[in-house]
Amino acid sequence: MQIWRIRVLTAASLASVVLLSGCSPFVSVKDIANDKPAYLATNFDADSLPTSVREKLPAAGKHPLPFKILTMSGTVSGHVGAVAVSNDFKDTLINAKDTGLVQQLSEVSANDVPHSATFSLSYLNLFNLKTETAVYSRTMALVPAMVHDADNNQFVFEAPKEDTTYVTTFETGTTIQITDFRTAVTSCHTGHFYPASQINAVLTGKALDFDCEETKDGIIQNKARRTYLTEYGIGLTRSIATSTLKFDWTYREIEKDGESSARYVGKAISNNAI
């Protein structure tokens, strides 16, 4: 399974890394912050994606997920260059009409002060299809990044398979681009299912790790790990590493439809930096 442009939750320091070209002002941060749920619902649904991407997605009701709203919180920590960074995060994931699509609002804070919000639309929280970050200290948000096409159709499986390599070439850019898209090849290899309780004793179901790397012109851009949880039907971001940064995610709490089901999830497994 591929992960395009791994969502770096620490928008406090990595917004310029997550988003591609197109750093021109797009939408007022104040307007976004006034009603974040409405902004997510309006701008990050399937209709906001190009036809070339939508036609590869399951129809409504064809890929049910076992939740309506999933809330996750914890800490993302690591370094950018020689600078250590640690931020708290809170993710709100919404099941988008049982298509396998997940709308997500990720808010980052440092020392209890909210810093930024990242809006995204993904498939199973594994394929990131559209992303926009609003940094509260700025006047305007950055132009959203988006997948414009993919070379095969892997958006239809019921669950990922063990010991399998998934490779896809994605054409990516901003929402205002019409040409000159960036070509990125993402390759992910799965391990074997293991009890999710190995991550945290209160988790049920099974877990499966995805070790992925993204390349451009044969050069590795980043390495990442996500863990697919059968209990939720989606993946968790566990780590990301490039030649200049490395981050790990620790999940303190996971709530499904308002009911807490996991607390104090263990430290994320890390990839070595490139």
Side-chain angles (χ1 to χ4, degrees):
M1 190 177 307
Q2 304 71 28
I3 305 174
W4 168 76
R5 208 31 84 174
I6 303 298
R7 175 181 53 84
V8 181
L9 215 49
T10 52
S13 59
L14 300 179
S16 63
V17 176
V18 178
L19 296 177
L20 303 174
S21 61
C23 294
S24 302
F26 186 60
V27 179
S28 165
V29 171
K30 182 178 180 180
D31 290 343
I32 293 174
N34 280 341
D35 195 341
K36 294 186 287 291
Y39 189 78
L40 178 68
T42 301
N43 296 281
F44 291 83
D45 60 2
D47 290 339
S48 70
L49 298 172
T51 301
S52 56
V53 177
R54 293 200 308 270
E55 66 186 10
K56 296 179 173 69
L57 296 168
K62 296 298 184 180
H63 194 142
L65 295 173
F67 66 89
K68 294 180 179 179
I69 299 177
L70 194 64
T71 303
M72 302 182 290
S73 60
T75 302
V76 56
S77 58
H79 65 84
V80 179
V83 179
V85 178
S86 181
N87 292 309
D88 294 324
F89 69 85
K90 180 179 180 180
D91 294 352
T92 302
L93 291 79
I94 300 171
N95 177 356
K97 301 179 181 179
D98 282 332
T99 58
L101 289 178
V102 176
Q103 297 169 301
Q104 180 165 306
L105 167 60
S106 302
E107 295 188 274
V108 174
S109 61
N111 300 318
D112 296 324
V113 178
H115 180 279
S116 60
T118 296
F119 303 82
S120 64
L121 181 67
S122 70
Y123 184 67
L124 305 185
N125 206 33
L126 292 167
F127 298 86
N128 213 13
L129 302 174
K130 184 179 179 181
T131 306
E132 181 178 14
T133 295
V135 179
Y136 297 143
S137 62
R138 298 179 182 177
T139 303
M140 308 300 289
L142 300 178
V143 174
M146 185 169 67
V147 168
H148 287 265
D149 203 358
D151 69 350
N152 61 15
N153 183 359
Q154 296 187 11
F155 300 105
V156 295
F157 56 80
E158 292 299 323
K161 298 178 181 179
E162 295 181 305
D163 193 21
T164 300
T165 298
Y166 300 90
V167 180
T168 293
T169 299
F170 290 100
E171 298 295 324
T172 65
T174 67
T175 53
I176 61 175
Q177 277 182 259
I178 58 175
T179 61
D180 300 322
F181 301 127
R182 179 182 186 272
T183 300
V185 179
T186 306
S187 177
C188 297
H189 188 79
T190 59
H192 294 278
F193 281 105
Y194 59 90
S197 58
Q198 291 184 17
I199 299 173
N200 185 281
V202 302
L203 283 177
T204 59
K206 296 180 180 179
L208 183 67
D209 293 332
F210 286 77
D211 288 312
C212 305
E213 61 181 34
E214 181 185 319
T215 60
K216 179 184 178 184
D217 299 326
I219 300 173
I220 297 175
Q221 304 296 301
N222 64 63
K223 293 183 179 181
R225 173 171 287 184
R226 287 199 177 186
T227 300
Y228 179 83
L229 298 177
T230 60
E231 179 182 5
Y232 303 110
I234 62 168
L236 296 180
T237 302
R238 302 297 297 280
S239 67
I240 186 170
T242 74
S243 59
T244 59
L245 62 86
K246 178 173 178 286
F247 281 89
D248 295 311
W249 277 254
T250 300
Y251 293 84
R252 288 194 299 267
E253 185 170 356
I254 300 175
E255 293 186 356
K256 183 169 69 173
D257 297 329
E259 296 183 2
S260 181
S261 56
R263 293 179 182 274
Y264 304 107
V265 176
K267 186 179 185 299
I269 301 171
S270 303
N271 292 317
N272 294 324
I274 299 170

